Amino acid sequence: MQTETKPDVTTLTQWPPLAHIARGRDPKEGDEALCGAKLLGIKLDDASEVCEECACIFREESGA
């Protein structure tokens, strides 16, 4: 029996990656950010740049 596997060929188009905003307190890899991007599971607590689309959606939803 032979098993065929497909390698994960997900590549980042930007480094360092943008920090995205997700709903919930403990987002996990594969969850969706507010902008619809898939989260990659990278901790970006000290990110220097946040996705502008996520930031706009967050401001609209929070009434800021």
Side-chain angles (χ1 to χ4, degrees), residues 11-12 16-17 19-20 24-25 36 43 45-46 48 50 52 63-64:
T11 58
L12 299 175
H20 289 276
R25 294 185 156 228
K43 293 285 185 190
D45 295 334
D46 298 323
S48 60
V50 176
E52 186 59 37

Side-chain angles (χ1 to χ4, degrees), residues 44-62:
L44 297 173
D45 295 334
D46 298 323
S48 60
E49 203 169 336
V50 176
C51 170
E52 186 59 37
E53 189 174 349
C54 282
C56 286
I57 293 168
F58 179 79
R59 284 192 292 266
E60 287 174 5
E61 289 182 358
S62 66

Side-chain angles (χ1 to χ4, degrees), residues 9-53:
V9 292
T10 303
T11 58
L12 299 175
T13 57
Q14 168 181 348
W15 192 261
L18 285 174
H20 289 276
I21 301 170
R23 288 188 175 85
R25 294 185 156 228
D26 190 23
K28 294 174 182 51
E29 183 173 354
D31 287 353
E32 274 193 13
L34 295 178
C35 70
K38 291 270 186 199
L39 299 178
L40 298 176
I42 302 170
K43 293 285 185 190
L44 297 173
D45 295 334
D46 298 323
S48 60
E49 203 169 336
V50 176
C51 170
E52 186 59 37
E53 189 174 349

